Amino acid sequence: QVRLVESGGGLVQAGGSLRLSCAASGRTFSSYTMGWFRQAPGKEREFVARISRNVVITSYADSVKGRFTISRDNAKNTVYLQMNSLKPEDTAVYSCAAGTTWGTRVSDYDYWGQGTQVTVSS
């Protein structure tokens, strides 16, 4: 029903920036809360950021506040994650997700992309 494809990951030096994109297909993209999650090796998937249907409401994990910015362009069916001042501990597979409620848990989201690798070198 909803398909999500991430892009924009790569290798970056500590202190650098990356912008991730998540392209969505589906007739009702604008009706979903969109979130970004990440999973590092040996760790559980964790919440990073979320954005509401009306764009102006956002929230972030404490670990990324002030460094990451989530945004969406409903006309393009795309959500973005701008990542600045990257740290080695940001290294993970980043996935976007779509849900019908305002939540921060994996179980709050119904549709997931395949993930894109972000590696930050020290």
Side-chain angles (χ1 to χ4, degrees), residues 20 24 31 55 77 81 101 115:
L20 306 183
S31 70
V55 179
N77 285 1
L81 186 68
T101 62

Side-chain angles (χ1 to χ4, degrees), residues 36 51 55 58 60 69-73 78-82:
W36 284 97
I51 186 166
V55 179
T58 61
Y60 301 88
T69 302
I70 187 171
S71 61
R72 70 191 295 167
D73 185 339
T78 302
V79 63
Y80 304 95
L81 186 68
Q82 178 67 46

Side-chain angles (χ1 to χ4, degrees), residues 38-46 89:
R38 67 187 183 186
Q39 187 169 25
K43 295 188 176 182
E44 295 184 2
R45 185 176 293 175
E46 66 175 354
E89 49 263 46

Side-chain angles (χ1 to χ4, degrees), residues 27-116:
R27 296 170 57 190
T28 57
F29 171 77
S30 63
S31 70
Y32 290 98
T33 295
M34 299 297 298
W36 284 97
F37 291 76
R38 67 187 183 186
Q39 187 169 25
K43 295 188 176 182
E44 295 184 2
R45 185 176 293 175
E46 66 175 354
F47 166 78
V48 175
R50 58 182 172 171
I51 186 166
S52 66
R53 294 172 293 174
N54 64 357
V55 179
V56 300
I57 302 174
T58 61
S59 74
Y60 301 88
D62 288 343
S63 59
V64 306
K65 285 181 179 177
R67 300 188 297 121
F68 290 12
T69 302
I70 187 171
S71 61
R72 70 191 295 167
D73 185 339
N74 289 341
K76 296 182 178 180
N77 285 1
T78 302
V79 63
Y80 304 95
L81 186 68
Q82 178 67 46
M83 305 184 294
N84 299 326
S85 302
L86 283 162
K87 305 174 181 179
E89 49 263 46
D90 295 319
T91 295
V93 174
Y94 285 72
S95 301
C96 66
T100 56
T101 62
W102 185 243
T104 60
R105 298 171 64 90
V106 169
S107 60
D108 292 322
Y109 293 82
D110 303 306
Y111 305 99
W112 294 84
Q114 84 288 351
T116 186

